[in-house]
Amino acid sequence: MAAPAFALDKAAVQKLATGEADERSEAIAALVAEGDPKAAEFLSAVAEGEVQVAAGRVLVVKGGEAADAVTGEKVDPVPEGAEDVVANNRLRREIEGALAAFSLLSPDRAVRLAAAKSLAGGADAGMLALVKKALEKETDAEIRPLLELTAAAMEMKSGSKDERVAAIRRLGSSSSPNSRTLLAEAANDTDEDIRLEAQKALREVQGRLAWGERAGLLFAGVSLGSILLLAALGLAITYGLMGVINMAHGELIMIGAYTTYVVQNFFRSHWPAAFDAYLLAAVPMAFIVSAAVGMVLERVVIRFLYGRPLEDRKSTRLNSSHGYISYAV
């Protein structure tokens, strides 16, 4: 008779159900390395409190029905005296990371991208085998660099000296802020070769990130300056040409911002596939709607104030304070 073929690693399943904290972490890493979708189902069951142990046998119990966690064989009836497998917060976090790693093998690009972004923020070194497996199959230009960064970060922590040096060089060609953090840690390593290589890579990454930070500061300055310029021009034109004191520009700026928000929600509801391009439609719509509201105000309110002398200081003060309130809002 042929020996039974286990779907999952029996020892890993047993450790995850009954072992100590470190043994459970090792078991999760072993199940992740298998890359079997059934391992993901078992880990999810552990996190949801659907795993029990009876007479040394690990069972997945759902809806009053039990099945052997290793073989998938149904167990009927559910053994009496079965004890629940309790997942503490640490175990839940590790399982969440493992499930994210399994998502790297999903046929859905959006799922793989979300998993890659999640792991790029920090992943357990035990998931390296699955990340490399996903990296071999991944061809997407956006997902693949994230996986390469994640794999390099894992090798930085647990690989051999040669693997760590190779990982440092890969991180040195990255423009991610996470790379800077990892390289900064390696720059204080006790091994001189690793320390020198990390310092060199860190200088390269900081140089690239510095240009991005300068560009961000320049954009923020131009953005803020444009708002102040619009406010100043509005006051100069309305008072200088029309003789009307009006500092209430905040409403029109707010109308443009709200129009952008409405267009964003419209794309999310009706064209989710083109959501990333919503800004191309939102910017001109913000100008159009603000201009339309401005023309209505000119027709309904401002045109009746042309040539009207300033009545007293009190009215001037009130109109000006209205503008300050608008800016505050």
Side-chain angles (χ1 to χ4, degrees), residues 311-322:
E311 295 177 351
D312 53 35
R313 294 183 179 179
K314 182 178 179 182
S315 62
T316 302
R317 246 190 339 266
L318 288 174
N319 201 12
S320 299
S321 64
H322 175 60

Side-chain angles (χ1 to χ4, degrees), residues 155 159-170 191 193-194:
E155 291 176 344
S160 63
K161 179 177 179 178
D162 292 339
E163 290 175 338
R164 294 184 68 189
V165 170
I168 288 172
R169 290 172 179 170
R170 289 201 301 273
D191 189 293
D193 294 335
I194 292 178

Side-chain angles (χ1 to χ4, degrees), residues 128 131-132 135 144-159 163-174 179 182-183:
L128 179 59
V131 171
K132 286 186 174 181
L135 191 56
R144 187 173 180 83
L146 292 175
L147 294 181
E148 291 175 346
L149 176 63
T150 302
M154 291 178 177
E155 291 176 344
M156 278 273 296
K157 297 178 180 179
S158 61
E163 290 175 338
R164 294 184 68 189
V165 170
I168 288 172
R169 290 172 179 170
R170 289 201 301 273
L171 290 173
S173 61
S174 171
S179 300
L182 293 169
L183 290 172

Side-chain angles (χ1 to χ4, degrees), residues 35-90:
D36 190 336
K38 293 181 180 178
E41 295 176 4
F42 174 65
L43 291 174
S44 179
V46 173
E48 294 173 3
E50 298 175 337
V51 176
Q52 297 180 358
V53 177
R57 192 176 186 183
V58 182
L59 306 175
V60 177
V61 182
K62 294 183 179 181
E65 297 182 355
D68 190 288
V70 177
T71 64
E73 177 185 355
K74 291 186 177 181
V75 178
D76 189 22
V78 179
E80 295 183 1
E83 298 181 359
D84 292 332
V85 174
V86 179
N88 56 25
N89 291 334
R90 173 186 171 182

Side-chain angles (χ1 to χ4, degrees), residues 11 21 27 35 58 102 107 110 115 138 143 186 196 204 230 255 263 273 305-306 312:
V58 182
F102 275 109
E138 190 58 64
I143 300 176
L196 293 176
E204 296 174 357
L230 286 173
I255 287 171
V263 172
L305 301 177
Y306 293 159
D312 53 35

